[in-house]
Amino acid sequence: MTVKFILVQLIGLCALFMLVLSLQNNNKKMLMKYQMFSSLLYAVQYAFLGAYTGCLLNLTCVFRNYIFGKNENGRASIIWLIVVLAHIVGFSLITYTDIVSLLVMFGIILFSVAMWYGDLTFMRIGEAIACALLMIYNVKVLAFTSCIATMIEISTVLIAIYRFDLKKIKPKKEVRA
């Protein structure tokens, strides 16, 4: 193992830690801040791996989280959503290598729309789907700690969905005549 390999894996672990903190937070503003730091660390990790689609899209996520997190009284303007989506598509096309690189694009688009919409339940579901798509990319670019991180992230998201969303749903009582 080289020093670079170990450094790349450590960066991925730090990104995972920030991401887990974000997903277990039920405050949108704090969730966005933690995800900004997580995306920045993932961008650095992907840059070291030469996985430029992942790098540029994670940098776009930093920008997206900053813009979307600034609005405390509702969601960001639709213009900002369009700007973010245009960057995601543009960077994906510039760094296109194969169909797998497009999976990252679709996952980040889905999660970006969920974040813009602002509903934490929708955000958590979007995150779970995006993670499933990102897992394939992580395997392809040999981001080993990111693969492990993505599995943990999916588990964490599912726990958060249970804690914050499913526990609130109470079964309806049957009315008998």
Side-chain angles (χ1 to χ4, degrees):
M1 278 195 273
T2 67
V3 173
K4 178 183 173 186
F5 178 80
I6 293 169
L7 177 64
V8 166
Q9 304 314 316
L10 288 174
I11 292 169
L13 289 175
C14 292
L16 168 64
F17 178 73
M18 297 303 286
L19 193 58
V20 169
L21 285 177
S22 79
L23 295 172
Q24 293 303 315
N25 200 307
N26 205 26
N27 176 293
K28 181 182 173 187
K29 191 170 186 170
M30 290 305 296
L31 184 143
M32 297 287 204
K33 284 182 182 181
Y34 284 122
Q35 291 218 349
M36 279 177 57
F37 292 117
S38 176
S39 293
L40 182 61
L41 290 170
Y42 278 127
V44 171
Q45 181 188 39
Y46 286 127
F48 278 128
L49 290 169
Y52 300 112
T53 300
C55 176
L56 290 175
L57 292 185
N58 271 281
L59 289 175
T60 303
C61 290
V62 172
F63 171 73
R64 173 201 65 202
N65 292 356
Y66 175 75
I67 295 299
F68 291 2
K70 283 178 45 172
N71 296 334
E72 293 179 30
N73 301 329
R75 66 179 72 134
S77 162
I78 188 79
I79 301 298
W80 282 118
L81 176 63
I82 293 168
V83 167
V84 167
L85 296 179
H87 277 86
I88 293 168
V89 171
F91 286 146
S92 295
L93 294 176
I94 290 169
T95 60
Y96 176 83
T97 54
D98 56 21
I99 193 73
V100 174
S101 65
L102 294 180
L103 294 177
V104 179
M105 178 187 77
F106 290 126
I108 293 177
I109 285 173
L110 173 67
F111 188 55
S112 296
V113 171
M115 289 182 95
W116 173 79
Y117 187 72
D119 180 78
L120 290 172
T121 300
F122 190 38
M123 288 168 68
R124 286 187 275 268
I125 292 168
E127 181 83 9
I129 296 168
C131 285
L133 296 173
L134 189 58
M135 177 62 82
I136 299 165
Y137 182 76
N138 285 335
V139 169
K140 182 185 182 290
V141 300
L142 304 177
F144 298 119
T145 56
S146 290
C147 289
I148 296 166
T150 303
M151 287 187 281
I152 293 169
E153 185 179 348
I154 289 171
S155 300
T156 303
V157 169
L158 294 176
I159 290 167
I161 289 170
Y162 173 75
R163 285 180 60 208
F164 299 122
D165 305 316
L166 295 179
K167 283 177 77 174
K168 292 179 185 176
I169 300 171
K170 299 193 187 228
K172 293 182 181 180
K173 294 181 182 179
E174 287 185 32
V175 178
R176 298 188 185 222

